[in-house]
């Protein structure tokens, strides 16, 4: 038994899966961790790492073909875990590029679109963003107002998106809008130099600071017929992409929790209070036990959903349970770790406060805790309680 893997969960993974995890962790430790404190203070994403993420095959890593790594669900989950162990913003960058943008094209695009865009997105020649949320439509994307009108040779898009990760550094936006005549939600590919498309950076976030968040504006923006996603029809298509990202988040937040727990365990062992190590105090041990209990259960849950996913049996509500549960556990762990560190818990010499702040976003985006609870409730009872 080790304090970091109490139930020897590592033994459930194959050597290859663990190798993917360790290679990712090595890369993150050497090349990304040293940049995080400054990036967090400056509220910026260290863009210089983007080509390296591509060279490490971390973009769209779960997609097969088109220049992607084609990892299985477990290895992919472990990649997300190691990215988020460093910072949720780093995992977010990869989630948006791979699970939202690349997956949208992979599952809803034409063969020409896949051949054109997926290799460029995998190699980071093209950066993507995913625009579903609007100022007045977050939890309820069915009420979105962005509108696409059919004209000769294409579509005219009008409307605004808000809270869009990577928005102002993106070359390509997957945008969800209502087709005027049918009032159906439809996915479009909008390139950054299309006339009438602008993006602006949102500043002043106190969470997920190592991530670009933007507004997107479309004013009579012409989109050629070649840029409609032919199979992305209806809200269901957008929600299918979210399933991919939510799965990655369920794994990712365990990385944040592990980082906070390990920091707290080390700190409690070294901190002398009332002439003894803090870790020898019963109350401190109770907090550490709670953390390891949560992390262990979250890891088992992840392992199990990976088995279901590999069999093609994983249901959206099961992903909701994992995303909701693991975010709660990670937040709880980060709060307890912050507490164990005392005043040191609020300075950025330690990673804990950064993770705690990040996790507030992660608990909100990709469906808030309430939304996932209501989705599970609907599945259990057959009654929807959203409206
Ligand atoms: P509802 O009637 O439930 O659903 C419409 C149709 O979609 C189906 N469906 C799903 N299909 C696949 N996956 C899912 N997760 C699905 N959820 C629902 C459903 O069966 C139905 O199909 P059909 O055939 O009957 O048409 O729609 P609703 O309007 O009642 O809304 C349901 C609700 C609230 C669960 C949904 O709208 C929702 O999930 N809201 C949360 C929105 C959200 O998560 N937004 C995320 C934006 S992207 C983001 O945050 C990126 S963060 C960056 C990062 O990941 O790092
Ligand atoms: P609201 O929907 O206004 O919810 C407010 C509160 O009401 C929440 O507590 C919610 O749980 C609760 N609530 C909602 N419905 C009910 C109900 N029926 N009953 C009771 N309570 C309810 N979106 C994208 O499209 N692309 C992105 O790349 C992206 N990146 C993001 C990055 C960051 C940093 C953040 C913070 C958000 C991002 N989002 C993105 C948006 C995110 O998905 C939304 O913020 C999220 O879906 C919640 O929507 P909202 O903020 O409008 O909250």
């Amino acid at each position: 038994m080790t304090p970091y893997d109490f139930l020897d969960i590592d033994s459930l993974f194959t050597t290859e899966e663990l190798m993917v995890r360790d290679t990712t962790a090595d890369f993150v430790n050497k090349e990304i961790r040293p940049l995080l404190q400054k990036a967090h203070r400056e509220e910026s994403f260290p863009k210089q790492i983007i080509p390296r993420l591509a060279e490490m095959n971390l973009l769209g890593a779960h997609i097969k073909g088109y220049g992607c790594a084609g990892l299985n669900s477990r290895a992919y989950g472990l990649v997300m875990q190691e990215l988020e162990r460093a910072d949720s913003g780093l995992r977010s960058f990869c989630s948006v590029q791979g699970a939202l943008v690349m997956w949208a094209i992979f599952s809803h695009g034409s063969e020409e679109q896949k051949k054109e865009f997926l290799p460029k997105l995998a190699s980071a020649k093209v950066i993507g963003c995913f625009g579903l949320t609007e100022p007045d439509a977050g939890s309820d994307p069915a009420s979105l107002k962005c509108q696409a009108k059919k004209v000769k040779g294409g579509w005219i898009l009008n409307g605004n998106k808000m809270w869009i990760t990577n928005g102002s550094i993106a070359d390509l936006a997957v945008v969800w809008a209502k087709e005027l005549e049918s009032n159906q939600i439809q996915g479009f590919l909008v390139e950054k130099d299309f006339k009438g498309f602008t993006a602006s950076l949102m500043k002043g976030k106190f969470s997920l600071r190592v991530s670009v968040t933007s507004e997107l504006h479309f004013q009579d923006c012409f989109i050629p017929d070649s840029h409609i996603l032919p199979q992305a029809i209806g809200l269901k298509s957008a929600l299918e992409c979210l399933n991919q990202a939510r799965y990655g988040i369920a794994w990712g937040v365990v990385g944040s929790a592990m980082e906070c727990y390990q920091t707290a365990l080390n700190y409690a062992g070294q901190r002398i209070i009332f002439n003894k190590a803090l870790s020898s105090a019963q109350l401190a041990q109770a907090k550490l036990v709670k953390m390891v209990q949560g992390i262990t259960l979250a890891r088992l849950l992840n392992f199990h959903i990976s088995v279901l996913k590999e069999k093609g049996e994983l249901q959206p509500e099961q992903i909701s349970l994992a995303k909701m549960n693991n975010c709660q556990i990670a937040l709880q762990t980060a709060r307890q770790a912050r507490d164990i560190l005392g005043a040191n818990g609020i300075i950025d010499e330690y990673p804990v406060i950064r993770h705690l702040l990040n996790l507030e976003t992660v608990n909100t985006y990709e469906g808030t805790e309430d939304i996932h609870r209501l989705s599970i409730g609907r599945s259990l009872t057959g009654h929807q309680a959203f409206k």
Side-chain angles (χ1 to χ4, degrees):
M1 277 186 295
T2 80
Y4 297 123
D5 184 10
F6 200 68
L7 287 192
D8 193 21
I9 294 171
D10 279 2
S11 65
L12 299 176
F13 295 92
T14 64
T15 313
E16 289 76 24
E17 288 159 1
L18 293 176
M19 213 163 72
V20 170
R21 178 195 67 181
D22 295 342
T23 310
T24 308
D26 260 13
F27 159 66
V28 168
N29 287 341
K30 285 193 191 112
E31 299 189 37
I32 300 183
R33 267 178 199 273
L35 310 173
L36 287 173
Q37 189 190 54
K38 183 166 179 284
H40 181 249
R41 286 186 181 182
E42 292 175 354
E43 198 183 353
S44 68
F45 184 76
K47 290 204 282 276
Q48 67 272 29
I49 66 173
I50 297 175
R52 290 290 295 133
L53 291 168
E55 280 160 20
M56 295 297 294
N57 263 326
L58 298 177
L59 303 177
H62 62 321
I63 292 176
K64 293 192 171 56
Y66 305 98
C68 305
L71 296 181
N72 72 23
S73 307
R74 249 181 310 284
Y76 173 70
L78 289 171
V79 165
M80 296 292 118
Q81 178 187 294
E82 293 314 311
L83 294 172
E84 195 145 1
R85 194 194 284 264
D87 194 272
S88 302
L90 178 62
R91 197 267 309 134
S92 247
F93 178 89
C94 295
S95 281
V96 169
Q97 183 86 353
L100 293 178
V101 176
M102 294 173 73
W103 187 264
I105 297 171
F106 181 70
S107 56
H108 302 310
S110 66
E111 196 50 41
E112 294 76 56
Q113 289 167 339
K114 290 183 211 181
K115 284 190 180 137
E116 156 97 36
F117 292 112
L118 291 178
K120 290 183 191 159
L121 286 153
S123 59
K125 289 190 179 74
V126 166
I127 306 300
C129 70
F130 183 90
L132 179 64
T133 306
E134 299 184 356
D136 297 318
S139 296
D140 178 19
S143 67
L144 64 81
K145 295 193 178 70
C146 228
Q147 205 171 64
K149 184 176 174 211
K150 184 76 187 99
V151 291
K152 190 163 177 270
W155 304 78
I156 298 287
L157 187 64
N158 277 293
N160 299 297
K161 298 286 174 186
M162 198 176 180
W163 297 111
I164 307 305
T165 302
N166 297 348
S168 37
I169 56 167
D171 307 289
L172 182 72
V174 170
V175 179
W176 299 90
K178 275 185 187 152
E179 202 276 322
L180 187 63
E181 258 186 39
S182 63
N183 207 32
Q184 263 291 22
I185 290 177
Q186 167 75 55
F188 295 91
L189 295 173
V190 184
E191 298 198 38
K192 80 168 173 215
D193 51 5
F194 283 4
K195 206 160 163 267
F197 172 33
T198 50
S200 51
L201 184 64
M202 295 173 69
K203 295 290 276 183
K205 285 180 293 158
F206 280 78
S207 170
L208 214 75
R209 286 168 66 83
V210 185
S211 176
V212 170
T213 312
S214 317
E215 292 185 41
L216 311 181
H217 312 283
F218 306 97
Q219 196 173 10
D220 292 329
C221 174
F222 177 75
I223 302 164
D225 279 335
S226 58
H227 281 54
I228 190 168
L229 284 169
Q231 270 103 56
I233 303 163
L235 178 60
K236 191 182 174 84
S237 305
L239 296 174
E240 280 165 5
C241 302
L242 301 188
N243 292 337
Q244 301 298 316
R246 290 168 177 174
Y247 174 85
I249 290 172
W251 283 81
V253 291
V254 169
S256 292
M258 285 166 145
E259 178 79 358
C260 292
Y261 161 67
Q262 291 178 4
T263 307
L265 184 66
N266 290 338
Y267 188 89
Q270 285 160 19
R271 179 73 174 163
I272 305 297
I273 305 181
F274 296 109
N275 290 323
K276 60 176 190 177
L278 177 57
S279 59
S280 68
Q282 288 184 0
L283 284 175
Q285 288 187 6
K287 291 169 195 166
L288 293 166
V289 170
K290 184 88 184 150
M291 291 183 208
V292 91
Q293 176 188 343
I295 290 168
T296 304
L297 297 178
R299 291 187 70 197
L300 287 172
L301 178 54
N302 280 344
F303 192 89
H304 184 66
I305 60 169
S306 78
V307 173
L308 294 178
K309 196 169 196 299
E310 284 296 296
K311 287 198 281 185
E313 291 174 3
L314 186 60
Q315 298 303 312
E317 294 80 8
Q318 295 171 327
I319 301 176
S320 281
L321 183 76
K323 195 264 181 185
M324 180 187 76
N325 180 74
N326 292 3
C327 284
Q328 282 171 356
I329 280 176
L331 263 171
Q332 204 177 66
T333 304
R335 282 180 191 137
Q336 277 168 332
R338 200 225 61 72
D339 173 58
I340 284 186
L341 266 67
N344 279 322
I346 67 148
I347 56 169
D348 64 3
E349 247 173 69
Y350 297 89
V352 173
I353 188 69
R354 181 165 47 76
H355 279 294
L356 174 51
L357 294 171
N358 284 342
L359 287 164
E360 292 293 343
T361 283
V362 183
N363 199 41
T364 287
Y365 69 23
E366 289 288 355
T368 65
E369 190 178 322
D370 293 328
I371 287 297
H372 291 297
R373 192 169 286 116
L374 289 169
S375 295
I376 300 163
R378 177 171 63 181
S379 166
L380 295 178
T381 65
H383 298 295
Q384 69 89 359
F386 295 101
K387 300 163 197 168

